[in-house]
Amino acid sequence: MSRWKGLPASLDHRVRHLVVQLRRLKDHSGLSLAALAARTSYSKSSWERYLNGKKLPPRAAVEALARVCEADVPRLLALHEVAEQAWNAQRPGLPAEKAGKNEKNETAETVAKAEKPVSAAATAAAPPVSGRSMPFGPFVLGALAVLVAAGAVLLVARLWEDANGIGRGAGAAMTAGGTDAAPAFTHRPGEDFGCHVQRRAGALYAGHSRTDTAVLGSGASGWDVVEAQCLLRHQGYDPGGVDGIVGGRTVRAVKRLQARFKLPTDGIVGPGTWKVLRR
């Protein structure tokens, strides 16, 4: 497995979650950055920036990596959409030319599109510019289109959060009707979240997340991590504290659990490890 650099501390947990999964796919594929560049339209230096959290990978790059590694393309694209929303929220008003600095040659397709001339038919179809004001109707239709698009993005984000248990508060009650409190994850130094492990429908839950698919590597944070730490402690593997952040002691506890149940001892909580934790 590659020796990855630590991700920036300022990186949003949704972006961090995407990058950790992309790193894991790259490691499991056995491809070097140079080999990955050769099999996609993105350079080695671009992949280095994407996989170290320096720049958000474009949607096409995520799709290319997923196809090369034979991964679940729709799921990764859904994670990318949520990560892109978080990334843009942290960088309001960033000029397009600055965002694209040093990325001019990332894909041949991008260059081709940028240099594609405007056809005569398109030019002829364009309405002439005049001093008259635009009709009110197009503005209303445009505003409705923007609202529909924003609603779709929020729906995808909500579905992704529900599937991965993000945004659930410490000890949030998981009711029979499937509703629970969902405050944003925050952590103060020295804070230790409570664990109330109970068995529901044959599986163990600590009240912080219902996920059994989230991938949690070193540096990950959020309510999924709190859930995993509670279950590790319940199973007899001390994660060193229930603080919602995957640190060294949590990784070692995961490896001990994985070794006992004959799972790959990579220290990463994935579907196989969740299955053992919730027994």
Side-chain angles (χ1 to χ4, degrees):
M1 181 171 292
S2 302
R3 291 181 175 271
W4 293 107
K5 297 179 181 178
L7 293 173
S10 60
L11 207 62
D12 186 278
H13 70 272
R14 290 162 288 187
V15 180
R16 184 184 299 273
H17 184 71
L18 173 66
V19 174
V20 167
Q21 294 215 46
L22 295 181
R23 283 182 170 186
R24 193 180 190 200
L25 281 177
K26 184 265 181 191
D27 288 340
H28 286 187
S29 72
L31 296 174
S32 65
L33 290 178
L36 187 60
R39 298 184 64 176
T40 65
S41 300
Y42 295 83
S43 66
K44 177 182 176 182
S45 59
S46 294
W47 281 116
E48 188 276 332
R49 286 192 292 273
Y50 300 155
L51 296 176
N52 283 296
K54 298 176 182 177
K55 182 173 177 61
L56 182 72
R59 176 188 174 91
V62 173
E63 184 173 2
L65 178 61
R67 294 193 185 283
V68 167
C69 299
E70 299 181 351
D72 187 343
V73 176
R75 180 173 180 271
L76 280 176
L77 291 182
L79 295 182
H80 175 269
E81 188 167 357
V82 176
E84 184 178 37
Q85 184 181 17
W87 182 276
N88 292 336
Q90 286 186 328
R91 295 158 177 79
L94 182 65
E97 60 271 16
K98 184 175 181 181
K101 187 178 181 181
N102 298 324
E103 301 291 338
K104 294 181 180 179
N105 298 318
E106 281 189 354
T107 67
E109 181 183 357
T110 302
V111 175
K113 287 183 179 179
E115 295 178 351
K116 185 177 181 180
V118 179
S119 67
T123 304
V129 178
S130 68
R132 298 180 181 179
S133 60
M134 290 290 291
F136 184 69
F139 285 102
V140 174
L141 293 175
L144 289 174
V146 170
L147 290 174
V148 170
V153 171
L154 291 175
L155 177 60
V156 171
R158 181 58 183 169
L159 290 173
W160 183 81
E161 290 179 352
D162 287 343
N164 291 278
I166 292 176
R168 289 173 172 79
M174 296 193 293
T175 66
T179 59
D180 56 5
F185 176 79
T186 56
H187 175 262
R188 291 180 291 274
E191 184 176 14
D192 196 68
F193 296 102
C195 295
H196 305 282
V197 179
Q198 297 179 0
R199 187 170 296 278
R200 296 174 181 270
L204 293 175
Y205 293 93
H208 300 283
S209 170
R210 294 188 182 92
T211 186
D212 57 4
T213 59
V215 178
L216 309 175
S218 179
S221 63
W223 295 118
D224 292 340
V225 178
V226 177
E227 181 80 3
Q229 289 174 329
C230 283
L231 295 178
L232 281 167
R233 179 177 287 178
H234 181 78
Q235 299 277 16
Y237 301 91
D238 183 14
V242 182
D243 56 3
I245 300 173
V246 177
R249 293 187 64 178
T250 298
V251 170
R252 289 192 291 272
V254 172
K255 286 183 177 180
R256 291 196 298 271
L257 175 94
Q258 291 171 331
R260 176 186 170 188
F261 290 94
K262 298 183 177 6
L263 296 171
T265 55
D266 54 10
I268 298 174
V269 178
T273 305
W274 280 114
K275 184 176 180 179
V276 171
L277 285 172
R278 295 208 183 276
R279 286 183 179 176

